[in-house]
Amino acid sequence: MKNIELFNDHFQNYKVYGIPKAQLVIADIPYNIGKDAYGSNPMWYNGGDNKNGESELAGKEFFDTDKNFKISEFMHFCSKMLRPEPKDNSEGKSIGSTGKKSGGAPCMIVFCAFEQMQMMIEKGKEYGFKKYIPLQFYKNYSPQVLKANMRVVGNTEYAILLYRNKLPKFNNNGQMVFNAMPYPRDTDTMKIHPTQKSVPLLKFLIELFTDKGDVVIDPCAGSGSTLLASAQCGRKAYGFEIKKDFFKDANEKVLRFIQPNLF
């Protein structure tokens, strides 16, 4: 088993691969926004200019698999593949701003649409994730440029941090961490996926909630950026991507930059 591995398969089939349980699951689940996916994005038009007419992306979904995504299956996977909580806090290494030692418990971070947040909280409870922290990531730019002079445009992405009972491992070095944080631009990683996440942001989250050598799993790996970020942080990482084109591009254009000596 490699330290970093991407499987061209559905995460439901995880038992076939015998991967270890994770300290952290990070996933960007489908937003199910249907044919409005590019609704305020310049890609709706040829060359990003409405004077050129609509492009082939006009009125299209991001992915044809979105409508088949089942939250219950995803939560079941996470409940099985996140490692158990420690029996005590002896694994916790960090001291938070309150002076209390944090636990060594695992957690999951799920990027989702704002409208999906409450549903994720409720569904998490059904699968044993009783506690949560809402997260917001704000950008200094917006993809909604076509509507910039017509309304307040969005520059924020949302996520839910879910955990069972005990505080997750928290490597904050005694510093306060806000639940609204900047979303750094990623100018180094080739963009191969319409909802690709910033590697610098992923590295920050991975280093915050895991230690070197810990396992990170991304059930909806897309571009493989979570695996790249994990490798750069010295973590082991495993991902699942059902779409063959994304799987191929992730291996050839993103993950090939992982250096063996990182481990």
Side-chain angles (χ1 to χ4, degrees), residues 246-257:
F246 289 136
F247 172 78
K248 182 175 181 293
D249 284 346
N251 279 299
E252 295 179 356
K253 300 177 182 179
V254 176
L255 300 182
R256 70 184 183 89
F257 292 105

Side-chain angles (χ1 to χ4, degrees), residues 19 39 62 85 200 219 221 228:
I19 61 177
F62 277 147
E85 291 186 336
L228 176 61

Side-chain angles (χ1 to χ4, degrees), residues 66-84:
D66 276 15
K67 52 184 167 290
N68 298 321
F69 185 82
K70 295 179 173 59
I71 293 293
S72 294
E73 293 175 356
F74 170 77
M75 281 296 184
H76 174 77
F77 170 88
C78 295
S79 68
K80 295 297 183 182
M81 288 309 297
L82 271 176
R83 59 189 292 271

Side-chain angles (χ1 to χ4, degrees), residues 7 9 23 25 84-85 97 106 119 135 155 159 164 169 192 226 240 249 253 258 260:
F7 306 105
D9 204 346
Q23 181 68 29
V25 168
E85 291 186 336
S97 58
M119 179 266 292
L135 302 176
N155 72 326
R164 297 184 180 105
K169 188 180 292 186
I192 63 171
T226 299
F240 295 85
D249 284 346
K253 300 177 182 179
I258 293 175

Side-chain angles (χ1 to χ4, degrees), residues 25-36:
V25 168
I26 296 184
D28 184 13
I29 64 170
Y31 293 0
N32 295 317
I33 53 180
K35 294 183 178 181
D36 291 328

Side-chain angles (χ1 to χ4, degrees), residues 26-67:
I26 296 184
D28 184 13
I29 64 170
Y31 293 0
N32 295 317
I33 53 180
K35 294 183 178 181
D36 291 328
Y38 297 92
S40 55
N41 191 298
M43 295 173 68
W44 185 281
Y45 299 102
N46 288 310
D49 190 335
N50 57 7
K51 295 178 181 177
N52 298 330
E54 294 182 342
S55 73
E56 61 181 10
L57 298 177
K60 296 293 181 62
E61 299 172 311
F62 277 147
F63 321 109
D64 57 8
T65 53
D66 276 15
K67 52 184 167 290

Side-chain angles (χ1 to χ4, degrees), residues 6-261:
L6 179 63
F7 306 105
N8 183 203
D9 204 346
H10 194 286
F11 58 78
Q12 279 186 292
N13 299 323
Y14 69 95
K15 291 182 180 179
V16 175
Y17 303 98
I19 61 177
K21 294 193 174 185
Q23 181 68 29
L24 174 66
V25 168
I26 296 184
D28 184 13
I29 64 170
Y31 293 0
N32 295 317
I33 53 180
K35 294 183 178 181
D36 291 328
Y38 297 92
S40 55
N41 191 298
M43 295 173 68
W44 185 281
Y45 299 102
N46 288 310
D49 190 335
N50 57 7
K51 295 178 181 177
N52 298 330
E54 294 182 342
S55 73
E56 61 181 10
L57 298 177
K60 296 293 181 62
E61 299 172 311
F62 277 147
F63 321 109
D64 57 8
T65 53
D66 276 15
K67 52 184 167 290
N68 298 321
F69 185 82
K70 295 179 173 59
I71 293 293
S72 294
E73 293 175 356
F74 170 77
M75 281 296 184
H76 174 77
F77 170 88
C78 295
S79 68
K80 295 297 183 182
M81 288 309 297
L82 271 176
R83 59 189 292 271
E85 291 186 336
K87 294 182 180 179
D88 54 40
N89 279 349
S90 60
E91 293 182 54
K93 297 181 179 180
S94 305
I95 303 296
S97 58
T98 62
K100 293 181 65 177
K101 193 174 186 181
S102 71
C107 63
M108 56 191 289
I109 297 172
V110 186
F111 288 90
C112 58
F114 177 81
E115 293 81 4
Q116 293 175 312
M117 295 180 78
Q118 189 60 40
M119 179 266 292
M120 291 301 304
I121 291 168
E122 296 304 322
K123 188 60 69 172
K125 291 177 182 178
E126 291 180 25
Y127 286 84
F129 300 101
K130 300 177 182 178
K131 300 184 179 181
Y132 67 91
I133 300 172
L135 302 176
Q136 298 180 51
F137 310 97
Y138 54 89
K139 304 174 181 178
N140 62 357
Y141 60 96
S142 174
Q144 298 179 347
V145 294
L146 296 181
K147 298 181 180 179
N149 64 343
M150 295 161 34
R151 69 176 196 189
V152 175
V153 296
N155 72 326
T156 306
E157 295 208 26
Y158 301 92
I160 294 288
L161 187 152
L162 295 166
Y163 59 103
R164 297 184 180 105
N165 292 294
K166 297 183 179 180
L167 286 173
K169 188 180 292 186
F170 189 48
N171 296 320
N172 61 327
N173 298 316
Q175 302 299 309
M176 186 178 294
V177 176
F178 298 107
N179 76 322
M181 59 191 75
Y183 187 111
R185 280 182 182 264
D186 186 349
T187 57
D188 296 323
T189 311
M190 181 178 292
K191 186 170 176 60
I192 63 171
H193 195 281
T195 61
Q196 185 166 323
K197 294 294 175 281
S198 160
V199 169
L201 174 62
L202 293 170
K203 287 175 66 176
F204 173 78
L205 296 172
I206 290 165
E207 289 178 336
L208 189 61
F209 295 109
T210 68
D211 292 326
K212 285 190 175 181
D214 280 345
V215 174
V216 178
I217 295 178
D218 188 341
C220 310
S223 67
S225 55
T226 299
L227 279 67
L228 176 61
S230 299
Q232 292 178 354
C233 295
R235 276 63 166 174
K236 302 171 185 175
Y238 305 93
F240 295 85
E241 176 49 50
I242 195 169
K243 300 291 287 184
K244 291 181 179 178
D245 289 345
F246 289 136
F247 172 78
K248 182 175 181 293
D249 284 346
N251 279 299
E252 295 179 356
K253 300 177 182 179
V254 176
L255 300 182
R256 70 184 183 89
F257 292 105
I258 293 175
Q259 302 297 321
N261 60 6

